[in-house]
Amino acid sequence: MQSADEKSYTTLLSKNISPSDLVLIPVESLMFWINAGHGDRVTVEQSWMDASERSTLAVLTAQSAHSLTADVAARRLYWISDVKKSIETVKVDGTGRYSFTGLFNKKPPLGLAVFEDYLYWVDDKGLWQVPQDQPNEKQFIWKNNLPMMAVYHELQQPQDSMSALPAHQRQPQWIHLHLSKLQNANAG
């Protein structure tokens, strides 16, 4: 972790760790990551943001897992399993593991995001969505060559002096995908 002055850093985790993805939930001071540990053991792990109380939530060996993301409001983690050709999920306490299967035909997606009750993924064709409670209702919503995407819930946003500003003045400087507009444009 780098200091605010960008001149020093602190190593939070160094023992038996080879992280590929990292998700932070600042409001709860939690961090989660996919870890390639000893041998071929791959896990989803968590700790407090100070690296204390590290624990394993799920074992993912032989899944080629990537694109770890969080649904902060639902308190769930999601990732893509290339081997199972599925989206996997587990609660942040390690219980309630579930697989969304049958979503991908040939190639697994490149990136994953979760927003409200929908799963979104990007593949070589574009952007797809599916309601979590109706996994057979997947829909192609935008043709584009997106290499990746990220969606952040307001509970994942850092709290700082910018928080006092009106929302329109503290928007980050990047392109926003208005998913409801994309859905309406493709419905007609």
Side-chain angles (χ1 to χ4, degrees):
M1 182 167 73
Q2 192 167 9
S3 65
D5 66 6
E6 298 184 6
K7 294 181 181 177
S8 62
Y9 68 92
T10 301
T11 301
L12 294 177
L13 296 165
S14 62
K15 193 178 194 183
N16 301 324
I17 185 163
S18 180
S20 63
D21 292 26
L22 176 68
V23 172
L24 303 176
I25 302 181
V27 71
E28 294 187 49
S29 296
L30 290 171
M31 63 181 176
F32 304 88
W33 63 96
I34 294 176
N35 187 46
H38 289 302
D40 62 352
R41 181 176 164 90
V42 178
T43 55
V44 174
E45 299 191 19
Q46 76 166 357
S47 75
W48 295 109
M49 289 177 77
D50 67 359
S52 65
E53 299 185 40
R54 178 178 172 183
S55 64
T56 298
L57 298 179
V59 176
L60 312 179
T61 303
Q63 282 196 29
S64 294
H66 63 92
S67 301
L68 183 67
T69 189
D71 181 338
V72 178
R75 303 193 81 245
R76 293 193 74 87
L77 300 171
Y78 296 80
W79 63 92
I80 295 168
S81 170
D82 284 351
V83 172
K84 292 174 68 176
K85 293 185 180 174
S86 64
I87 295 175
E88 305 287 311
T89 182
V90 68
K91 292 180 183 177
V92 297
D93 66 3
T95 64
R97 188 157 173 186
Y98 182 77
S99 297
F100 294 92
T101 59
L103 297 174
F104 322 124
N105 296 329
K106 296 177 183 173
K107 294 181 183 178
L110 305 170
L112 173 68
V114 180
F115 188 72
E116 294 180 350
D117 296 326
Y118 285 85
L119 302 172
Y120 296 90
W121 66 92
V122 175
D123 65 14
D124 57 353
K125 294 180 182 177
L127 181 63
W128 297 81
Q129 76 170 13
V130 68
Q132 291 187 46
D133 62 349
Q134 297 174 326
N136 295 328
E137 301 294 322
K138 75 178 180 181
Q139 182 180 9
F140 185 77
I141 60 173
W142 192 33
K143 183 177 181 173
N144 202 322
N145 188 12
L146 298 170
M148 59 182 282
M149 71 173 162
V151 176
Y152 295 100
H153 190 280
E154 66 185 31
L155 294 175
Q156 286 178 285
Q157 302 301 319
Q159 300 300 311
D160 59 18
S161 59
M162 294 286 286
S163 300
L165 295 173
H168 71 278
Q169 291 181 1
R170 55 185 154 99
Q171 293 296 319
Q173 300 300 310
W174 60 70
I175 297 171
H176 296 273
L177 283 178
H178 295 280
L179 298 172
S180 61
K181 290 181 182 177
L182 290 172
Q183 292 167 342
N184 292 337
N186 286 311

